[in-house]
Amino acid sequence: MTARKVTKLAALLAVALLMGFVENMLPPVLPVLPYCRLGLGNAAILLCLMWFDLPSAALIAVLKCVIIGIFSGAPISILYSLAGSALSLLGTWLLLKLSLNGIPAISAFGGVLHNVGQVLVAILLTQTTAVAAFLVYLALFGALAGVLTGFIAYFVYRAIPNGETNDDRKRDF
Amino acid sequence: MKKEKEKRRFSLFRIGDLFILLIVLCLVGAVLYSVFAPARGNAAEVYSDGKLIATLSLKKNTVYELDHMQIVVNGGKVWVEHADCPDKICEKTGKIYKKGQAIVCLPNKIAIRITGKGEVEAIV
């Protein structure tokens, strides 16, 4: 890992964390589902996946989950977000590899998987299957939020195809 | 410039998006179904020991007191506020408002059921 890459990853992580913190301060997007977040920080992780590779994106995702979990004062939420991020990262990576889809659609898929992962953890932790009743709402919300983050990631990628103006894209991809 | 000649690796939309769109449409369908399929009821029947003892309109906010529990109707929803039963299942059931939903208190043999019958209803 070059110093250049470390710096780029750090910048992406900073953006992801900032988005996460700001979102935690804002009121919920949908009052009906107060635990729903847009997850704009995931645009940074998606961008990381587009610029670099799966391990780098996984690193950013894990750090984001842990740091936000610690600082938001609810360490249990780390488990939820880790499960969601892991599932969504794998799904997104797979679709990117297949390259049959546009970025917003891939991101929507990731958003659905993110919430599926969280509901699975909720079922495991609370031992109540009633939580699954929320799954369709959460999955749909995740898809819409994913489309939004996908658009953001796509246009950032188009403006900055490599995270900088100098070209070392060939080595990174 | 070299950069502009290179073919972009990622695109905004591709043919495979139809598949994702299908998934999302299924989700929309599932959400619509679970929101709209069971119609809102307009009355709550309260049974004690299998006998209908009261019919509460959901359109009127009331507090209905029984020996063992307090039933609250507010904003078209019914829930048990307090109950003296040991398990409190009825309280934990939460608010119900759709046709066919029910709150059951086994120790006190009280059941509350939402019906979709009209306003004109004999109160026993």
Side-chain angles (χ1 to χ4, degrees):
Chain A
M1 199 185 277
T2 60
R4 175 172 280 172
K5 188 173 170 185
V6 173
T7 317
K8 287 186 204 169
L9 289 183
L12 281 173
L13 179 61
V15 170
L17 288 178
L18 197 66
M19 295 285 198
F21 285 133
V22 170
E23 263 183 14
N24 277 342
M25 288 178 217
L26 295 175
V29 190
L30 289 179
V32 200
L33 297 169
Y35 26 78
C36 270
R37 303 266 166 218
L38 277 178
L40 290 180
N42 296 329
I45 294 172
L46 178 59
L47 204 55
C48 187
L49 209 50
M50 291 160 80
W51 278 346
F52 303 110
D53 44 20
L54 185 60
S56 322
L59 182 68
I60 301 289
V62 169
L63 284 174
K64 177 193 173 230
C65 292
V66 172
I67 295 174
I68 288 192
I70 290 171
F71 280 88
S72 66
I76 190 72
S77 72
I78 295 177
L79 269 181
Y80 287 89
S81 51
L82 269 184
S85 293
L87 210 58
S88 119
L89 199 58
L90 284 177
T92 310
W93 175 73
L94 200 70
L95 285 193
L96 278 175
K97 279 271 164 214
L98 289 175
S99 78
L100 289 169
N101 297 92
I103 296 301
I106 291 176
S107 182
F109 185 67
V112 172
L113 284 183
H114 195 281
N115 287 348
V116 168
Q118 289 188 322
V119 169
L120 285 180
V121 170
I123 291 175
L124 283 178
L125 285 185
T126 62
Q127 294 288 320
T128 48
T129 46
V131 192
F134 293 110
L135 185 57
V136 278
Y137 305 103
L138 289 175
L140 181 62
F141 186 86
L144 298 179
V147 170
L148 185 67
T149 47
F151 270 106
I152 295 173
Y154 176 78
F155 284 112
V156 172
Y157 182 86
R158 216 171 68 164
I160 322 167
N162 198 30
E164 59 176 295
T165 44
N166 295 332
D167 212 14
D168 59 353
R169 190 182 334 184
K170 285 193 184 72
R171 196 183 62 228
D172 282 329
F173 278 126
Chain B
M1 267 171 58
K2 196 175 80 190
K3 208 186 292 174
E4 281 168 354
K5 273 184 222 153
E6 275 180 44
K7 209 180 157 211
R8 290 230 160 76
R9 209 167 152 265
F10 305 111
S11 44
L12 204 46
F13 299 107
R14 288 224 180 126
I15 189 71
D17 293 1
L18 292 176
F19 178 66
I20 307 284
L21 191 67
L22 197 69
I23 296 181
V24 174
L25 284 181
C26 287
L27 283 175
V28 171
V31 166
L32 288 180
Y33 181 80
S34 63
V35 170
F36 292 111
R40 260 171 186 278
N42 43 31
E45 294 177 336
V46 185
Y47 293 87
S48 174
D49 218 353
K51 286 192 291 273
L52 185 66
I53 54 168
T55 303
L56 312 169
S57 170
L58 293 190
K59 302 217 167 74
K60 233 165 45 193
N61 295 346
T62 45
V63 178
Y64 185 70
E65 299 277 356
L66 280 170
D67 289 345
H68 300 288
M69 64 170 70
Q70 186 185 40
I71 301 165
V72 179
V73 181
N74 200 321
K77 298 182 181 182
V78 188
W79 67 94
V80 173
E81 188 68 42
H82 302 292
D84 62 3
C85 51
D87 55 9
K88 308 279 185 207
I89 298 257
C90 45
E91 285 181 34
K92 285 180 199 150
T93 306
K95 303 179 178 183
I96 60 170
Y97 58 97
K98 284 177 180 172
K99 224 187 276 181
Q101 284 183 316
I103 299 175
V104 181
C105 177
L106 283 179
N108 293 325
K109 292 180 184 160
I110 308 269
I112 306 162
R113 213 184 53 175
I114 305 281
T115 59
K117 292 174 195 160
E119 295 293 284
V120 235
E121 186 161 334
I123 291 177
V124 185

